[in-house]
Amino acid sequence: MTTPTVADLTTTWARRNAATGKLSQAGIRLLADGKPVTAAMLAGAAGISIAEAEAYIESGERTGLEVETGAIVGAALTLRPTQHQFTVRGNDLYTWCGFDALFLPIILGERAKVTSTCPVTRAEVNLTVEPDGTASDVTPGTAVVAIVGSDVTSSCETIGPGSQVCTQMPFFASREAGEKWLADHPGVAIVDLDQAREIARASTRQCC
């Protein structure tokens, strides 16, 4: 696997997220309220029948959607703790990976505060992400994020916090730390937060 360029990543994520559809976006917006999303809630938000919503949830669970007693509890944004805390609407939630924390505020159209941990230095990474994907109040100021390219996404059949995609997209305290980690993670690139914002915008362009 080769290290993807920013242009490669932009194309990969624009194509990948364009395929998620209105049901995924509706589920994410409902999860931001901090409660499990039932089939009835999803049906009402997406304008579909409850049977269609139930079929979506059942199908999604087989490929990594987090579901408890028939309700969605995780779809990029999750009620289950991960290393990426994501505070929105006054709710302390979580994301499956670092990159999720950068594009979810665009989908939601809301500011979010993010707290994560660098897997190399174990330093805490804090930032605020605006509704347009811009990161501010970044601590440390050298923080970067890893984003997987098409070589990884095309070979991964499941989603979720334990998937090959999500486990390879953490925040790092610095590019140096990210580059050290990258040696064992082919098909992934380390990008600064301004570059990540543009990739996040491209990934959400058709849904928001």
Side-chain angles (χ1 to χ4, degrees):
M1 294 184 185
T2 59
T3 300
T5 65
V6 171
D8 293 335
L9 294 172
T10 301
T11 299
T12 295
W13 285 94
R15 289 174 177 169
R16 182 178 176 86
N17 281 6
T20 59
K22 67 177 183 179
L23 288 178
S24 177
Q25 310 304 329
I28 287 168
R29 293 185 176 104
L30 289 167
L31 280 170
D33 287 329
K35 300 176 182 178
V37 178
T38 65
M41 292 165 63
L42 184 61
I48 60 174
S49 70
I50 292 179
E52 289 174 311
E54 289 174 337
Y56 168 79
I57 293 171
E58 182 179 348
S59 174
E61 186 175 14
R62 290 195 293 269
T63 57
L65 198 68
E66 293 180 297
V67 177
E68 292 180 4
T69 61
I72 300 170
V73 296
L77 183 62
T78 179
L79 308 184
R80 294 174 176 172
T82 72
Q83 73 181 75
H84 314 288
Q85 186 172 330
F86 185 90
T87 302
V88 66
R89 299 180 190 171
N91 299 313
D92 291 332
L93 307 175
Y94 303 87
T95 66
W96 285 348
C97 65
F99 184 51
D100 287 344
L102 299 176
F103 73 72
L104 285 170
I106 302 175
I107 292 175
L108 295 170
E110 299 179 49
R111 175 184 295 156
K113 291 188 179 298
V114 178
T115 299
S116 190
T117 302
C118 172
V120 175
T121 67
R122 307 312 301 173
E124 188 172 273
V125 177
N126 294 280
L127 60 150
T128 297
V129 185
E130 303 296 334
D132 68 351
T134 300
S136 61
D137 301 323
V138 182
T139 305
T142 53
V144 295
V145 68
I147 303 180
V148 302
S150 59
D151 286 344
V152 176
T153 60
S154 63
S155 63
C156 185
E157 298 180 354
T158 61
I159 57 175
S163 70
Q164 185 181 5
V165 170
C166 289
T167 56
Q168 298 192 89
M169 296 200 291
F171 288 104
F172 296 94
S174 66
R175 181 170 289 276
E176 181 182 14
E179 295 291 350
K180 181 178 180 180
W181 173 93
L182 193 64
D184 296 322
H185 297 82
V188 187
I190 304 300
V191 301
D192 64 41
L193 299 183
D194 285 340
Q195 293 171 320
R197 176 191 60 204
E198 298 311 308
I199 297 167
R201 286 176 175 174
S203 76
T204 58
R205 196 160 289 144
Q206 296 187 39
C207 71
C208 308

